[in-house]
Amino acid sequence: TAGITQAPTSQILAAGRSMTLRCTQDMRHNAMYWYRQDLGLGLRLIHYSNTAGTTGKGEVPDGYSVSRANTDDFPLTLASAVPSQTSVYFCASSTDHPGEQYFGPGTRLTVT
Amino acid sequence: EDQVTQSPEALRLQEGESSSLNCSYTVSGLRGLFWYRQDPGKGPEFLFTLYSAGEEKEKERLKATLTKKESFLHITAPKPEDSATYLCAVQARTGGFKTIFGAGTRLFVKA
């Protein structure tokens, strides 16, 4: 199985433009997550979803929005990108009970 | 506020030199503590989940332990292929599946 896929792999985006990072999982996990990873700061949770139809805010939600229309997809949207959103973005999923998260390969985003 | 602090930031070992990585946490009711390994340019890979103080888990040269305030990842006789960043994370009983990660410990094992 593919596990979690993310697209694009990398992107250079002009400040002020919008962009959607895609994330798809084929494991039928209920919970999904979006993180950003910056040097020295580790992984910081942006938004999460306990199950399809619900979303929640993480540590750093400002400037980002998510939706969870179905179990498999969890897109992350930047409505108007700013340079501080330059980062590596990881999507992850997990089963219902506390357990391991499966991570995608990441999207490297540069906002100029 | 839930918080995870990992130390040291970086650790350099000779092959075969055992050591431990520390993860201190503050959480309002621990649901689970997790250890991950991350190689450069890749997403984190799950290693262990610990649920309650006193619990231990082992996998090859790695052993994770948990107390009420911290967790240790013990590395016995490491090899160069153990070089990676090791991440600790916690989930609280409240807040659904919200997960807080530490900044990680970068481990370098020299042959």
Side-chain angles (χ1 to χ4, degrees):
Chain A
T1 60
I4 292 189
T5 58
Q6 293 184 237
T9 301
S10 65
Q11 182 75 43
I12 298 174
L13 186 67
R17 300 294 295 269
S18 65
M19 179 174 183
T20 295
L21 279 60
R22 300 185 297 279
C23 174
T24 299
Q25 54 113 349
D26 63 2
M27 298 172 283
R28 309 301 294 173
H29 286 167
N30 277 334
M32 296 188 75
Y33 315 78
W34 272 107
Y35 296 91
R36 59 178 290 173
Q37 188 171 39
D38 303 290
L39 192 64
L41 295 177
L43 283 160
R44 290 183 293 168
L45 184 66
I46 304 171
H47 286 287
Y48 64 98
S49 170
N50 291 343
T51 188
T54 68
T55 62
K57 293 182 179 180
E59 298 175 78
V60 289
D62 294 343
Y64 306 94
S65 63
V66 292
S67 61
R68 188 87 185 277
N70 58 60
T71 297
D72 299 342
D73 301 300
F74 191 42
L76 176 73
T77 298
L78 288 68
S80 179
V82 295
S84 62
Q85 292 177 310
T86 293
S87 187
V88 180
Y89 291 86
F90 288 101
C91 179
S93 71
S94 70
T95 54
D96 290 334
H97 54 81
E100 63 266 34
Q101 292 183 27
Y102 295 86
F103 284 81
T107 293
R108 182 174 295 275
L109 178 66
T110 302
V111 181
T112 61
Chain B
E1 183 180 340
D2 300 335
Q3 193 170 4
V4 177
T5 303
Q6 291 188 246
S7 62
E9 289 185 11
L11 181 62
R12 297 181 184 275
L13 300 174
Q14 288 292 129
E15 184 173 4
E17 180 185 2
S18 301
S19 188
S20 296
L21 282 56
N22 178 263
C23 172
S24 298
Y25 66 91
T26 304
V27 65
S28 52
L30 181 69
R31 187 173 192 168
L33 183 142
F34 310 91
W35 283 98
Y36 292 85
R37 169 190 171 129
Q38 186 175 24
D39 294 302
K42 296 188 177 181
E45 177 185 346
F46 170 77
L47 292 173
F48 303 109
T49 306
L50 301 167
Y51 296 104
S52 58
E55 189 175 2
E56 298 183 353
K57 295 265 180 85
E58 286 190 69
K59 180 180 180 180
E60 297 180 355
R61 295 178 292 282
L62 300 176
K63 183 169 83 171
T65 62
L66 180 65
T67 72
K68 289 185 177 180
K69 295 183 178 180
E70 57 192 352
S71 177
F72 292 94
L73 184 65
H74 307 278
I75 303 176
T76 301
K79 298 182 177 181
E81 52 262 41
D82 294 322
S83 298
T85 296
Y86 290 86
L87 302 170
C88 174
V90 298
Q91 285 184 346
R93 289 202 183 94
T94 58
F97 294 89
K98 189 172 179 178
T99 305
I100 305 297
F101 276 81
T105 293
R106 288 174 293 142
L107 176 65
F108 305 92
V109 182
K110 186 177 180 181

